[in-house]
Amino acid sequence: MNIIDGKQIAQNLRNDIAKKVKQLDHAPGLAVILVGDDPASEVYVRNKDNACKEVGFYSEKINKSANITQQELLDEIRRLNNNDKIDGILVQLPLPKHLDANLVIETISPQKDVDGFHSENIGKLMQNKAYLRPCTPKGVMTMLATIGIDLVGKDCVVVGASNIVGRPMLMELLNARATVTICNSKTQDLSGKLRRADVVVAAVGIPQMIQGDWIKPGAVVIDVGINRLESGKLVGDVDFDSATKNASWMTPVPGGVGPMTIATLLENTLTAYQNRT
Ligand code: NDP
């Protein structure tokens, strides 16, 4: 069994981006808006800000109080849409309940939507014409390409159908000409479907739910899940120890998909910059 070293693949991607940035006449800019003081979101935003600095991007961290009104937040986004120093805008999710996350995403200019969540960018992904693609699924595709997996004609099963991971993952795999099954909480015989999969992508949010004997011998297993156990330990959606007995390649948690998501955000910001200049 081979471990897919997301940390290293992400580092290589950041190094490539840093080299490209040195050749530009000005730095690509990313604005990250954080509403409220959710500790997990603060960590994600700090990591994104540090990653920007590492590759030489201009970055703005914008902290807004949890009491911000919908109008004030939309006005801030519109200001950033018109700010020439900013190529990418990201609003850290989840937002406080009184804010309409969908409206917030739709207000970001599609050209600056580096999370790839705007309906225009999702629509383009459906047509296999996207240039700003959701970071986590795109990062998974980079990992699969790096380890040399040819997806054409492969049977892939995506477990989880959220807008940010499962659904765009389905499209990415289909665009790579795989045959894709996507599962949700109502799926019948999940283990039977997984046992036929050449590639499994787990994005459920239930710790160690997928058992090793559900994995076909030789399958590639990508675990997007990040779950904290009561002990404080971080685990994925797949039971790592039992799955390694059958998988040929597998991502660890942490150190798998997580670092790829941030590196892909930087890649998208560079793409947005290149498309604007
Ligand atoms: P959501 O909660 O938005 O979606 C979970 C999906 O899993 C839903 O489609 C749900 O089905 C499905 N599901 C729930 N229970 C089952 C089940 N028993 N069998 C099959 N499917 C099931 O989660 P996210 O997509 O936002 O996140 C998933 C995981 O990935 C989380 O652990 C999260 O922390 C992690 N994550 C990691 C990232 C990274 O960078 N590594 C980035 C984003 C997320 P239904 O549609 O029926 O409700």
Side-chain angles (χ1 to χ4, degrees):
M1 215 282 306
N2 301 288
I3 297 279
I4 308 175
D5 188 349
K7 236 169 141 176
Q8 186 60 54
I9 301 170
Q11 183 64 58
N12 295 347
L13 189 54
R14 291 201 300 274
N15 293 347
D16 283 351
I17 294 168
K19 264 191 223 147
K20 288 180 185 150
V21 170
K22 283 204 180 101
Q23 285 153 18
L24 304 174
D25 48 281
H26 70 274
L30 176 67
V32 181
I33 303 178
L34 173 64
V35 181
D37 51 12
D38 173 61
S41 293
E42 275 176 9
V43 173
Y44 290 135
V45 168
R46 199 176 326 125
N47 289 345
K48 286 167 187 173
D49 195 47
N50 289 340
C52 280
K53 293 200 174 94
E54 184 195 321
V55 298
F57 282 1
Y58 167 73
S59 85
E60 270 186 38
K61 215 166 91 201
I62 301 165
N63 288 295
K64 294 287 178 191
S65 132
N67 302 325
I68 191 171
T69 65
Q70 179 83 49
Q71 198 52 49
E72 285 165 339
L73 182 56
L74 298 186
D75 286 345
E76 180 67 49
I77 293 170
R78 289 191 188 104
R79 267 196 293 279
L80 293 167
N81 283 343
N82 294 320
N83 180 344
D84 252 357
K85 273 162 81 176
I86 298 299
D87 300 285
I89 303 167
L90 180 155
V91 179
Q92 185 65 44
L93 301 176
L95 288 171
K97 294 247 176 319
H98 69 284
L99 299 169
D100 178 348
N102 196 43
L103 184 58
V104 167
I105 291 166
E106 293 300 307
T107 303
I108 298 172
S109 156
Q111 285 74 33
K112 295 192 178 187
D113 166 42
V114 283
D115 252 343
F117 295 160
H118 191 287
S119 56
E120 186 174 316
N121 288 318
I122 290 291
K124 284 182 175 157
L125 181 67
M126 291 282 294
Q127 297 171 325
N128 199 8
K129 286 182 188 154
Y131 69 97
L132 291 177
R133 294 148 53 194
C135 298
T136 301
K138 185 181 174 201
V140 169
M141 297 307 281
T142 304
M143 285 204 282
L144 292 170
T146 305
I147 62 169
I149 304 295
D150 178 9
L151 290 163
V152 177
K154 292 276 167 24
D155 283 321
C156 300
V157 174
V158 178
V159 191
S162 69
N163 285 339
I164 63 168
V165 190
R167 285 163 194 255
M169 191 73 245
L170 155 73
M171 291 316 306
E172 290 283 358
L173 293 166
L174 186 62
N175 290 343
R177 315 215 65 213
T179 302
V180 195
T181 301
I182 184 160
C183 305
N184 57 46
S185 62
K186 306 293 180 214
T187 295
Q188 306 287 307
D189 189 24
L190 179 65
S191 59
K193 290 179 172 60
L194 286 171
R195 283 192 180 103
R196 290 192 293 275
D198 302 308
V199 177
V200 173
V201 181
V204 186
I206 301 178
Q208 299 164 315
M209 182 193 107
I210 295 171
Q211 302 299 307
D213 64 351
W214 302 0
I215 303 297
K216 175 171 146 178
V220 176
V221 178
I222 306 289
D223 194 348
V224 179
I226 303 177
N227 311 291
R228 196 173 286 282
L229 300 181
E230 271 178 25
S231 64
K233 190 180 175 209
L234 281 184
V235 297
D237 292 341
V238 182
D239 182 52
F240 186 84
D241 290 340
S242 61
T244 55
K245 296 194 173 80
N246 280 335
S248 61
W249 289 91
M250 186 164 172
T251 56
V253 178
V257 178
M260 291 305 296
T261 298
I262 296 189
T264 307
L265 171 70
L266 303 175
E267 195 181 30
N268 276 354
T269 304
L270 182 60
T271 302
Y273 169 97
Q274 286 162 339
N275 278 287
R276 281 175 16 88
T277 48

